């Protein structure tokens, strides 16, 4: 049976009220985990109000 290890990463959004993602920085973050063997499983934001996001949560997995 395959076994997996999981990692949860919180990416803080920018801007006065949040909600702004530096796409290049976020892509670099995702790629850095990919180079370490982590596979992105899910990605979602945490809503504050009126479409603003406080954080982006990325969940990764890799074989143990």
């Amino acid at each position: 049976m395959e076994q997996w290890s999981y990692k949860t990463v919180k990416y803080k959004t920018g801007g006065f009220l949040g909600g702004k993602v530096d796409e290049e920085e976020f892509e670099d973050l995702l790629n850095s985990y990919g180079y370490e063997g982590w596979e992105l499983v899910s990605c979602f934001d945490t809503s504050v109000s009126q479409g603003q996001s406080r954080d982006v949560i990325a969940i990764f997995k890799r074989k143990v």
Side-chain angles (χ1 to χ4, degrees):
M1 175 190 298
E2 292 182 319
Q3 293 185 337
W4 301 93
S5 179
Y6 293 90
K7 178 178 281 297
T8 302
V9 177
K10 185 188 300 186
Y11 175 81
K12 292 278 190 197
T13 60
F16 179 66
L17 297 175
K20 295 189 179 193
V21 175
D22 181 329
E23 293 176 26
E24 187 174 319
E25 181 181 278
F26 187 59
E27 186 175 301
D28 288 344
L29 174 72
L30 296 177
N31 282 328
S32 70
Y33 285 103
Y35 292 138
E36 294 176 9
W38 293 99
E39 177 183 355
L40 182 64
V41 175
S42 183
C43 189
F44 57 92
D45 69 325
T46 57
S47 298
V48 178
S49 67
Q50 300 177 357
Q52 297 294 318
S53 301
R54 178 172 293 139
D55 303 308
V56 177
I57 308 297
I59 301 172
F60 298 87
K61 73 175 185 179
R62 71 177 172 187
K63 289 183 182 180
V64 177

